[in-house]
């Protein structure tokens, strides 16, 4: 038996599942917005704005659920500042410590881009604007610097949560080194799905969403490969998934990856566009719940 | 720095009296579980069940009997934090609440801990737990407050059979090796030390004399430091991030340049 089975559970439950899911969406949406901002066309502007407008509120919720989950929420700042000396608190080799800093820095970038996206949106509608909001505009060098940095931090935020789980001694989590990769690919697919979903609700035509859908398909293929590699890397330990959690994981792969791929492959006019992205989003949430809870009970 | 101090627990002389558990609870003013209402576990004489935030000592009872109970033995062991030289909890703690003291022991500062619980999952022995009263992660401090004034930890003081031995690590190792030799001479060839050298997490400052494989006592056979996974995990994640970036550029790139 693996030595990881002799350890105690940190009892990370729904707040942490929510954080892992929302952190992936915030980081992933920002990353996609930056890519479309830098390499896309004027036609992509509504999606770019949408990505930036999503990232900031979602990352705020991330900070909130993380704080609420602490045993002593009023001491959340101890993650960033040494409570005795008031010096910065950073351990680069502790994913939770570096993750706390990344969350803070990413929030800063997300705020600047959020403000710029808001300014752009208002300007497009001919409404009066506040000059300060335009500071983060992609046309300005500062805005470009912020979006580039934010995209890197967003990727970190989307993937470090898996690394954090592996850098413990818990069953499943510490028995593989592919959780970071799995969460990262899932963050990419769920973020693309969220943008497609919100884009559709905002009246964007299928033509405008086409490239995002193509990206989502590629991300889903990467994700399923990552999950297959993850299960393989667990070796005999994967047998712990021969239960309800394993069935849920298989259901996630079928319903949250295979089915959306199939639906995208054969699009019809009759079928609403939102079905495939909604399944991808649900799959991303289920994936994180399975990873967290299937270890928790061991 | 003072010399490294620790525990050597000789499980062969433990009688399961639980005086160590009681002394630990009393000295450290640890709250009772379930409002003090006793609940029988049904598992031998063990109603403590585990080490956690309010149980820093735990006497394990292992019954090894044949089906007809004509042949068998008891294994009893007072478990505690191992105060690892390479401590996983200390490594991951994001607040700096977990420190190494001048006695080479590992202590959680309760006024700094914010209850993130990363250390609980990182401990290879499942020693740490959240204390519901303080809302912080807690475990054995090796009675740091008592050591500071030259006293031995409460559990070692209370142990009536000298199963729990406290002292400088070098002296304890010498004592333990002599005891293993004595047991081997007496025909107990299964006797061995668990964590008695540097091969296990750089050495355990609380190590054990066992007469069965570690798993029989609920101890991991191969405890490891959590950071072993950091570099490979970071490598695969970085590779994934690069793949997604290339894929994204490929998908979103317009032929030629975007009109600005």
């Amino acid at each position: 038996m693996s030595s990881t089975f002799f350890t105690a559970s940190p009892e990370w439950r729904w707040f942490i599942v929510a954080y892992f899911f929302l952190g992936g969406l915030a980081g992933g949406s920002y990353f996609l917005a930056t890519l479309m901002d830098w390499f896309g066309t004027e036609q992509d502007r509504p999606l770019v704005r949408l990505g930036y407008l999503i990232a900031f509120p979602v990352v705020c919720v991330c900070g909130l659920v993380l704080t609420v989950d602490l045993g002593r929420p009023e001491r959340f700042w101890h993650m960033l500042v040494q409570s005795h000396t008031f010096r910065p608190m950073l351990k680069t080799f502790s994913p939770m410590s570096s993750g706390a800093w990344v969350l803070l820095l990413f929030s800063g970038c997300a705020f600047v881009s959020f403000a710029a996206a808001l300014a752009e949106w208002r300007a497009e509608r001919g409404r009066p604007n506040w000059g300060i909001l335009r500071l983060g505009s992609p046309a300005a060098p500062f805005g470009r610097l912020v979006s580039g940095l934010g995209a890197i931090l967003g990727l970190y935020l989307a993937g470090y949560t898996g690394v954090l789980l592996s850098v413990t001694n818990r069953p499943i989590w510490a028995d593989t080194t592919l959780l970071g990769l799995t969460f990262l690919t899932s963050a990419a697919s769920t973020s693309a799905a969220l943008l497609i979903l919100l884009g559709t609700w905002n009246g964007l035509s299928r033509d405008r969403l086409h490239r995002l859908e193509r990206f989502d398909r590629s991300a889903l293929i990467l994700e399923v490969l990552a999950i297959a590699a993850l299960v393989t890397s667990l070796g005999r330990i994967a047998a712990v998934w021969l239960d309800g959690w394993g069935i849920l994981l298989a259901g996630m792969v079928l319903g949250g990856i295979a089915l959306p791929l199939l639906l995208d492959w054969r699009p019809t006019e009759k079928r609403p566009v939102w079905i495939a992205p909604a399944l991808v989003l649900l799959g991303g949430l289920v994936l994180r719940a399975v990873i967290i809870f299937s270890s928790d009970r061991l | 720095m003072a010399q490294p101090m620790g525990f050597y627990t000789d499980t062969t002389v433990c009688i399961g009296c639980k005086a160590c558990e009681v002394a630990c609870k009393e000295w450290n003013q640890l709250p009772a579980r379930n409002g003090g209402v006793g609940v029988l576990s049904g598992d031998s004489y063990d109603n403590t069940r585990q080490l956690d935030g309010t149980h820093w000592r735990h006497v394990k009872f292992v019954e090894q009997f044949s089906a007809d109970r004509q042949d068998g033995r008891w294994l009893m062991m007072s478990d505690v934090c191992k105060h690892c030289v390479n401590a996983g909890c200390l490594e991951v703690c994001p607040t700096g609440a977990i420190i190494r003291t001048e006695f080479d022991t590992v202590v959680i500062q309760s006024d700094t801990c914010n209850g993130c619980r990363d250390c609980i999952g990182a401990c290879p022995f499942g020693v740490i737990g959240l204390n519901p009263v303080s809302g912080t992660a807690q475990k054995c401090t090796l009675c740091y407050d008592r050591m500071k004034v030259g006293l031995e930890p409460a559990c070692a003081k209370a142990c009536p059979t000298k199963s729990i031995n406290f002292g400088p690590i070098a002296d304890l190792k010498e004592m333990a090796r002599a005891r293993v030799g004595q047991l081997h001479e007496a025909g107990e060839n299964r006797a061995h030390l668990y964590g008695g050298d540097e091969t296990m997490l750089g050495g355990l400052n609380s190590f054990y004399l066992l007469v069965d494989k570690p798993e029989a006592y609920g101890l991991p056979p191969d405890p490891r430091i959590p950071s072993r996974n950091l570099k490979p995990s970071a490598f695969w994640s970085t590779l994934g991030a690069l793949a997604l970036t290339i894929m994204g550029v490929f998908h979103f790139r317009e032929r030629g340049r975007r009109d600005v």
Side-chain angles (χ1 to χ4, degrees):
Chain A
M1 185 188 280
S2 166
S3 283
T4 54
F5 285 77
F6 294 84
T7 58
S9 168
E11 299 184 3
W12 289 331
R13 306 268 161 84
W14 279 109
F15 280 129
I16 299 302
V17 173
Y19 167 62
F20 284 9
F21 180 62
L22 295 174
L25 286 180
S29 300
Y30 194 100
F31 166 71
L32 289 175
T34 302
L35 281 181
M36 289 186 282
D37 191 1
W38 286 24
F39 300 101
T41 64
E42 282 303 318
Q43 278 214 326
D44 295 323
R45 293 311 299 170
L47 282 172
V48 171
R49 282 200 299 271
L50 204 55
Y52 289 144
L53 288 173
I54 291 167
F56 181 62
V58 173
V59 82
C60 288
V61 178
C62 287
L64 200 67
V65 290
L66 271 186
T67 303
V68 172
D69 186 65
L70 294 173
R72 297 292 295 263
E74 80 281 10
R75 294 183 183 172
F76 74 94
W77 57 276
H78 289 199
M79 296 276 191
L80 303 166
V81 179
Q82 292 178 35
S83 57
H84 288 119
T85 61
F86 296 102
R87 288 182 185 159
M89 178 66 225
L90 173 64
K91 283 182 182 174
T92 51
F93 48 89
S94 164
M96 191 178 279
S97 179
S98 56
W101 278 98
V102 165
L103 189 63
L104 180 78
L105 296 174
F106 176 75
S107 302
C109 294
F111 173 71
V112 171
S113 302
F114 173 85
L118 198 64
E120 191 181 302
W121 181 76
R122 288 173 66 86
E124 209 175 74
R125 276 154 187 76
R127 294 188 192 169
N129 230 324
W130 311 291
I132 187 80
L133 292 186
R134 283 192 231 119
L135 199 66
S137 157
F142 177 68
R144 250 180 138 60
L145 180 74
V146 167
S147 62
L149 182 66
I152 295 168
L153 293 171
L155 281 174
Y156 193 106
L157 183 66
Y160 95 92
T161 48
V163 178
L164 185 151
L165 292 182
S166 289
V167 183
T168 63
N169 262 311
R170 290 294 295 156
I172 302 171
W173 304 347
D175 293 313
T176 178
T177 54
L178 296 175
L179 280 175
L181 174 71
T182 307
F183 282 5
L184 192 65
T185 51
S186 166
S189 69
T190 50
S191 302
L194 182 66
L195 288 178
I196 293 167
L197 202 62
L198 295 179
T200 308
W201 286 344
N202 274 305
L204 293 181
S205 66
R206 188 125 204 187
D207 190 40
R208 283 193 169 195
L209 297 169
H210 175 64
R211 287 189 295 173
L212 203 54
E213 284 180 326
R214 242 177 24 171
F215 175 86
D216 202 15
R217 280 199 291 274
S218 306
L220 284 169
I221 290 167
L222 268 188
E223 186 181 350
V224 80
L225 290 174
I227 292 173
L230 166 71
V231 174
T232 310
S233 71
L234 285 173
R236 283 190 301 173
I237 292 164
V240 298
W241 276 335
L242 293 173
D243 64 357
W245 291 111
I247 293 169
L248 207 55
L249 183 65
M252 177 267 154
V253 171
L254 289 175
I257 298 179
L259 187 58
L261 277 173
L262 199 69
L263 293 177
D264 267 357
W265 199 268
R266 296 273 169 87
T268 62
E269 288 300 320
K270 283 183 198 165
R271 193 171 52 237
V273 180
W274 60 267
I275 293 181
L279 285 171
V280 172
L281 281 166
L282 185 65
L285 183 66
V286 170
L287 172 71
R288 285 156 181 82
V290 168
I291 299 291
I292 299 268
F293 290 117
S294 61
S295 174
D296 184 64
R297 84 212 147 89
L298 296 170
Chain B
M1 183 168 149
Q3 58 182 331
M5 305 292 277
F7 290 128
Y8 149 53
T9 305
D10 181 352
T11 63
T12 62
V13 293
C14 179
I15 55 172
C17 69
K18 303 189 194 178
C20 52
E21 277 193 27
V22 176
C24 176
K25 276 253 181 193
E26 283 210 338
W27 180 261
N28 294 297
Q29 299 183 329
L30 297 175
R33 180 191 288 152
N34 197 31
V37 180
V39 178
L40 300 178
S41 71
D43 178 12
S44 192
Y45 291 92
D46 182 5
N47 296 313
T48 307
R49 309 297 287 125
Q50 62 188 10
L51 288 169
D52 57 32
T54 54
H55 301 91
W56 300 354
R57 268 278 173 195
H58 169 218
V59 179
K60 294 178 176 176
F61 293 80
V62 183
E63 297 184 28
Q64 294 182 329
F65 288 92
S66 58
D68 61 0
R69 296 189 74 83
Q70 292 302 304
D71 185 31
R73 64 173 178 170
W74 288 89
L75 299 178
M76 282 167 268
M77 172 193 153
S78 180
D79 199 9
V80 72
C81 169
K82 315 300 178 289
H83 296 276
C84 317
V85 171
N86 296 324
C89 58
L90 193 152
E91 195 176 59
V92 301
C93 175
T95 63
I98 305 184
I99 56 162
R100 184 168 297 285
T101 72
E102 66 272 34
F103 303 109
D104 204 23
T105 57
V106 180
V107 168
I108 302 176
Q109 303 173 100
S110 207
D111 61 338
T112 304
C113 174
N114 65 8
C116 73
R117 313 192 291 287
D118 203 5
C119 56
I120 298 176
C123 173
F125 303 99
V127 158
I128 311 173
L130 204 69
N131 183 325
V133 176
S134 66
T136 60
Q138 292 193 348
K139 67 167 191 73
C140 161
T141 65
L142 222 140
C143 281
Y144 180 72
D145 49 350
R146 289 173 67 95
M147 275 206 287
K148 283 291 274 183
V149 293
L151 295 173
E152 65 180 315
C155 55
K157 181 82 177 167
C159 180
T161 63
K162 277 283 172 197
S163 171
I164 301 172
N165 298 279
F166 166 76
I169 290 293
D171 296 353
L172 292 176
K173 282 184 178 173
E174 203 175 309
M175 185 195 297
R177 280 193 280 265
R179 174 66 176 155
V180 170
Q182 186 188 29
L183 286 167
H184 284 181
E185 272 176 32
E188 180 50 277
N189 291 317
R190 292 169 294 189
H192 67 278
L193 295 180
Y194 179 84
D197 59 36
E198 288 73 31
T199 55
M200 189 176 283
L201 299 169
L204 304 184
N205 283 344
S206 173
F207 61 98
Y208 298 81
L209 190 156
L210 308 178
V211 287
D212 205 332
K213 57 185 180 185
E215 296 95 309
Y217 296 86
L219 293 169
D222 179 28
R224 286 185 291 166
I225 197 109
S227 63
R228 69 185 182 280
N229 285 335
L230 183 59
K231 278 185 185 168
S233 293
F235 170 77
W236 290 115
S237 303
T238 309
L239 208 64
L242 282 173
L244 287 170
T245 307
I246 293 166
M247 211 171 77
V249 172
F250 176 75
H251 282 302
F252 297 120
R253 162 183 66 104
E254 196 50 16
R255 278 178 223 275
R257 293 271 169 201
R258 165 163 80 102
D259 297 327
V260 182

